[in-house]
Amino acid sequence: VRPVHSAREAALQTLHQVEVAGAYAHVYLPRLLAASGLSRQERALATELAYGTLRRRATLDYRVAQVCHRPLAQLSPWIRNLLRLGAYELLFLNRTSPAATCHSLVQLAHRYGHAGSARLANAVLRRLSDPPKALDLPDPTVAPVDYLSIAYSLPRWLVERWLQRWPQEVEALCAAQNEPAPVTVRVNLLRTRPADLAMRWEAAGLRVTACQWAPEGLTVESRGPIQELPGYAEGLFWVQDEASLLVGRLAAPPRGALVVDLCSAPGAKATHLAELMGDRGAVIALDLHQPRLRLVASAASRLGLRSVIPVCADGRRVPDLLREPAAVVVVDAPCSGTGALRRRPDARWRKQPEQIAALAALQGELLQAAAQVVRPGGRLIYSTCSLEPEENEEVIRQFRQVRPDFVPDLPPLGPGLEGDEAEGWVRLWPHRHGTDGFFICRLRRR
Ligand SMILES: C[S@@+](CC[C@H](N)C(=O)[O-])C[C@H]1O[C@@H](n2cnc3c(N)ncnc32)[C@H](O)[C@@H]1O
């Protein structure tokens, strides 16, 4: 990796690392920027360029292929990504004159390729910056999967699934996966009140709105790093999507209870549960992965919670670990994450259809193990940020066939949020609720 001199170069290096080395953009880019010496403004631009290009990759490839005489797959990864980057800037950003964009990208093509690559980049970028033409997308009535996957830059297999299941809403769902996610936080009720934190942020010039369903939730319009929001170091809040907040709300653990969170890292729900209990009782926070479990410990420590007890273990072994049954058990299962694609620019390209069946099997095993440690009359909460029925409804149906002693137990949730009371579950959607896509089921042990 070479030193970076500009936002475009930082973005290009990130795209390259994601493609050839499987790097995670949200891990790689911040490290690169921290070591770069680029200004704050340039860093923000690099992030916009890298994330936007990754997110819109399918749309950009389609557009570039229309004006490039060589197949993209035959270009070097540097030049392929440089063309994507240029296409993103020219089609989606409009920040400088197209000529300036082309000029600076062609310079980069010289550095990361050879004279031939620079000529090719020059020709393609000039064609892309001709007075904007409509993208000339496939006809939605003739080829709906092509249309949706190209227009909204999503893997075809995912679009195919969604189209089959939700033909009326699929386009709105796809579009919502490209919308920027709001910054939502959970106010630490043990340290402050939502109205007080909101006032503090408003005084600092930030716009704040209360969440719709979770009284401890606030949405703040902030573009900077979370750590710079007033109150961060004091542990006054935790960043968490409103849908995820509803998991804790539905768990509603009584003060002083014994609660188990089977898959707890990085700790959003475990710390929420502890806060809801007034930090009385215990939240046994399991996770299989030790490095991730450290995040749970540091979350609890920043928020000033003593009742969270991190334990590194496979959730499927929980019956061997616990001596007494718990009042509330939460299984926030590892999942495909197809409800939360808007959160990570490259997430959509990392998923494979085969993963869904393997995850569903693991989810079923975790749920069955969890059931063994719920006390009679206690609650079992199952949640995922997946939209796929195999990981949600199907997991619950199969579970209830072997454990008919667990019955649906969904309370009313508030206006605009209708769950299925007969089944005990509720689903949130990015395009309907503005939250991440989430599935939450609450069962009670008879
Ligand atoms: C969706 S995340 C949990 C998010 C967490 N509940 C929160 O709110 O911050 C799923 C977690 O399950 C963990 N995991 C995967 N397999 C597991 C297993 N067999 N037992 C326990 N945890 C597991 C992963 O390490 C990951 O941290």
Side-chain angles (χ1 to χ4, degrees):
V1 172
R2 306 168 208 200
V4 293
H5 301 95
S6 66
R8 289 188 184 97
E9 192 167 10
L12 178 62
Q13 289 197 4
T14 305
L15 300 176
H16 186 264
Q17 280 302 108
V18 170
E19 181 169 339
V20 304
Y24 288 89
H26 71 283
V27 177
Y28 183 82
L29 178 63
R31 282 191 196 146
L32 180 70
L33 292 178
S36 70
L38 291 180
S39 71
R40 203 182 163 91
Q41 225 178 0
E42 281 196 297
R43 280 189 259 173
L45 174 61
T47 307
E48 164 72 52
L49 288 171
Y51 288 9
T53 305
L54 285 166
R55 190 170 275 125
R56 301 282 184 175
R57 196 180 80 192
T59 314
L60 301 172
D61 283 5
Y62 179 78
R63 180 69 182 117
V64 172
Q66 290 174 330
V67 294
C68 184
H69 63 276
R70 283 183 57 192
L72 252 69
Q74 284 178 15
L75 303 178
S76 83
W78 284 115
I79 299 307
R80 182 165 50 247
N81 282 301
L82 182 133
L83 296 180
R84 289 173 174 154
L85 182 62
Y88 179 71
E89 198 170 336
L90 293 166
L91 294 179
F92 288 96
L93 274 195
N94 278 333
R95 42 176 288 283
T96 48
S97 77
T101 302
C102 294
H103 176 75
S104 110
L105 284 164
V106 171
Q107 303 272 306
L108 269 185
H110 272 292
R111 295 250 299 282
Y112 288 83
H114 43 70
S117 349
R119 272 197 302 277
L120 177 119
N122 188 41
V124 171
L125 293 168
R126 303 268 158 213
R127 275 178 229 138
L128 285 176
S129 55
D130 276 349
K133 292 186 198 86
L135 205 52
D136 199 13
L137 291 167
D139 184 338
T141 53
V142 179
V145 173
D146 288 337
Y147 164 74
L148 289 166
S149 63
I150 292 167
Y152 298 104
S153 188
L154 287 159
R156 287 180 55 95
W157 66 270
L158 207 51
V159 168
E160 256 168 43
R161 281 180 153 255
W162 295 349
L163 179 66
Q164 233 172 24
R165 296 212 164 89
W166 309 297
Q168 305 300 326
E169 294 181 67
V170 64
E171 184 152 14
L173 171 62
C174 292
Q177 300 279 18
N178 291 329
E179 289 298 317
V183 181
T184 302
V185 306
R186 177 186 93 230
V187 177
N188 181 355
L189 296 180
L190 303 182
R191 296 211 156 154
T192 187
R193 293 181 308 179
D196 293 339
L197 187 61
M199 243 158 44
R200 193 163 157 193
W201 283 348
E202 276 163 358
L206 298 163
R207 283 182 53 146
V208 187
T209 41
C211 279
Q212 219 179 328
W213 300 289
E216 61 276 61
L218 293 176
T219 297
V220 54
E221 279 180 27
S222 156
R223 299 182 128 258
I226 299 300
Q227 294 83 340
E228 290 178 12
L229 281 174
Y232 178 85
E234 298 148 69
L236 300 191
F237 64 90
W238 176 267
V239 174
Q240 185 173 2
D241 190 75
E242 186 173 10
S244 156
L245 275 171
L246 294 177
V247 176
R249 290 251 119 219
L250 279 172
R255 274 178 176 245
L258 174 63
V259 174
V260 181
D261 179 346
L262 235 61
C263 307
S264 68
K269 295 176 194 75
T271 52
H272 189 201
L273 295 165
E275 285 168 16
L276 290 168
M277 299 195 310
D279 206 23
R280 306 280 165 73
V283 180
I284 312 290
L286 267 60
D287 204 277
L288 186 57
H289 299 112
Q290 181 68 48
R292 286 179 59 76
L293 202 63
R294 271 186 228 122
L295 303 173
V296 180
S298 74
S301 134
R302 182 169 72 79
L303 297 166
L305 300 165
R306 296 155 148 260
S307 58
V308 177
I309 304 166
V311 177
C312 185
D314 189 321
R316 290 170 291 187
R317 285 194 46 232
V318 71
D320 307 333
L321 303 175
L322 219 63
R323 287 213 197 94
E324 60 178 300
V328 178
V329 180
V330 174
V331 182
D332 184 38
C335 73
S336 64
T338 55
L341 296 179
R342 60 183 195 168
R343 294 264 160 211
R344 296 256 187 269
D346 43 354
R348 63 193 68 193
W349 308 119
R350 293 181 188 280
K351 314 210 178 287
Q352 305 298 332
E354 311 75 64
Q355 292 165 343
I356 290 177
L359 284 162
L362 172 61
Q363 290 154 351
E365 289 173 26
L366 287 163
L367 194 56
Q368 293 214 27
Q372 292 184 47
V373 299
V374 179
R375 73 162 161 70
R379 273 184 202 132
L380 178 55
I381 312 288
Y382 176 80
S383 59
T384 75
C385 60
S386 163
L387 298 174
E388 314 313 310
E390 296 96 318
E391 298 181 74
N392 297 327
E393 295 93 317
E394 282 309 313
V395 171
I396 298 295
R397 281 205 187 102
Q398 286 178 22
F399 168 73
R400 288 194 51 216
Q401 274 171 9
V402 289
R403 292 299 305 252
D405 54 329
F406 280 83
V407 293
D409 179 32
L410 193 73
L413 293 157
L417 196 57
E418 277 81 41
D420 185 331
E421 282 176 30
E423 303 281 6
W425 62 57
V426 60
R427 194 197 279 285
L428 289 101
W429 298 89
H431 62 292
R432 284 200 213 157
H433 302 101
T435 61
D436 287 351
F438 241 85
F439 174 89
I440 313 172
C441 178
R442 184 167 106 170
L443 304 171
R444 186 173 48 82
R445 183 171 183 176
R446 275 210 288 257

